[in-house]
Amino acid sequence: MIIEDLAFDDTAPAGSRVRSLSSEEMKRVSGGRAISVLVDGRTAGTVDDFSLNMEIFKGNIGGPMVL
């Protein structure tokens, strides 16, 4: 994934150019497919599959990752 508007030190050696995103930068990452979901098995909704997988990965919600 390339996020062009997030800065990195391009003068650093190639192996040290990689860095973790800050929590503020992570909030700016979005994209994916719109998928239909049921909330609590009752209420229908639509979410971005990338955002849903990120919330599952961070442990904020439970459930299987969407493939």
Side-chain angles (χ1 to χ4, degrees), residues 2-49:
I2 296 173
I3 305 172
E4 294 183 20
D5 61 342
L6 298 177
F8 69 96
D9 183 3
D10 60 351
T11 62
S16 64
R17 291 181 189 169
V18 176
R19 67 175 178 84
S20 297
L21 297 178
S22 70
S23 59
E24 286 303 312
E25 290 170 328
M26 283 297 292
K27 291 176 186 174
R28 294 171 44 196
V29 175
S30 63
R33 303 167 289 179
I35 59 171
S36 297
V37 296
L38 288 178
V39 179
D40 294 331
R42 298 183 306 267
T43 308
T46 304
V47 298
D48 176 276
D49 69 336

